Amino acid sequence: MDDLVGQYFAAAAAHLERVRTEEAGSIDRAGALLADAVAEGRRIFAFGAGHSSLPAQDVVYRAGGLVVLNLLNVPGTTGVNVIPAHLGSALERVSGLATATLDLTPATTGDLLFVISLSGRQVMPIELAAHARARGLHVVGVTSLAYPGQVSSQHPSGSYLKDHCDVVLDNKVAVGDGELTHPGVETSFGPVSTITTSALMQAVVVSAVGKLAERGISAPLFRSGNVDGGTDWNAKVMAENADRIFYAF
């Protein structure tokens, strides 16, 4: 194996192990919030802008995932689906866009929102988390705690995402999100933020499913549509939870 490739896999594995051990308590607390939201019939949302939207999308409408997880899709910020691509980054600095989007959903007091932002410094995730809590939602932030103190907040309050959450999950990613260097390359490269953040999100779902099972509650989970009966199963479970999802009908 190429030495750089080996270094990348080693860095990714080390990050996953560090997150597994150091964030165990936070994962458990976030899992408890998610389990409570499912058990109480609450609505659940996940948001991220740019590449931070990928871990949010990863837990929505997928085999083995919770049917009742909704993507909060703020126009122009989901992935790199706008042209030019850096428009998405500019929109993340626009005040009011994410909060208006949340206000147009059925979100209400007691619901749960996951806000994902690697740096936690941009206007949109900070404003969204603060607004959601003011409306009575529980907020789980998924971010890197390496950024506050090393980079300035872009929000007028000077705060970061971490300051507006009930639970914070730290993906342990260093500022710059590049794990590798090379004498012939002028900047760091080899990001692992999507890997570790997606793992954190999936770990919270796993934790919640286990907690629900301990209460005697069968979590509303998708089955793969590629297995016999999967499509019929999914139609049934989606119909049973239609009042809590708004991406299907």
Side-chain angles (χ1 to χ4, degrees):
M1 179 180 291
D2 181 273
D3 183 54
L4 282 175
V5 174
Q7 289 179 42
Y8 178 75
F9 276 108
H15 263 82
L16 288 172
E17 178 60 22
R18 185 181 175 198
V19 166
R20 184 182 73 85
T21 56
E22 295 181 13
E23 293 302 296
S26 296
I27 292 169
D28 186 70
R29 290 190 292 275
L33 285 176
L34 180 54
D36 289 344
V38 173
E40 295 168 6
R42 304 294 186 181
R43 290 186 176 89
I44 305 156
F45 305 86
F47 166 80
H51 286 95
S52 288
S53 74
L54 299 178
Q57 294 179 60
D58 192 48
V59 293
V60 174
Y61 190 64
R62 68 164 303 152
L66 288 167
V67 170
V68 292
L69 266 163
N70 298 282
L71 182 68
L72 187 66
N73 185 11
V74 178
T77 67
T78 304
V80 287
N81 62 340
V82 293
I83 299 174
H86 53 275
L87 173 60
S89 298
L91 289 174
E92 199 175 357
R93 297 189 289 272
V94 174
S95 176
L97 184 57
T99 55
T101 302
L102 180 66
D103 287 344
L104 291 172
T105 73
T108 189
T109 298
D111 288 345
L112 177 61
L113 170 65
F114 290 87
V115 180
I116 303 168
S117 173
L118 177 58
S119 71
R121 73 193 288 251
Q122 295 296 346
V123 170
M124 186 174 286
I126 296 169
E127 187 176 75
L128 176 61
H131 181 64
R133 290 187 88 191
R135 287 193 48 185
L137 278 73
H138 299 293
V139 177
V140 175
V142 191
T143 187
S144 169
L145 295 181
Y147 278 79
Q150 294 193 50
V151 297
S152 60
S153 171
Q154 298 299 295
H155 193 269
S157 69
S159 64
Y160 297 82
L161 171 60
K162 69 178 180 64
D163 300 316
H164 304 281
C165 301
D166 297 285
V167 177
V168 175
L169 298 169
D170 182 7
N171 62 20
K172 312 295 182 182
V173 173
V175 174
D177 195 15
E179 292 299 312
L180 304 182
T181 59
H182 188 280
V185 180
E186 295 183 355
T187 187
S188 61
F189 57 101
V192 298
S193 59
T194 302
I195 295 172
T196 55
T197 306
S198 291
L200 277 168
M201 290 295 293
Q202 293 293 349
V204 171
V205 173
V206 168
S207 175
V209 171
K211 292 179 186 299
L212 289 167
E214 291 170 0
R215 303 180 196 179
I217 300 172
S218 180
L221 296 170
F222 281 112
R223 288 182 181 175
S224 172
N226 296 314
V227 301
D228 291 340
T231 300
D232 291 340
W233 168 275
N234 291 337
K236 173 178 177 293
V237 74
M238 289 168 72
E240 291 171 347
N241 294 277
D243 62 330
R244 302 167 65 188
I245 58 178
F246 55 92
Y247 56 81
F249 301 104

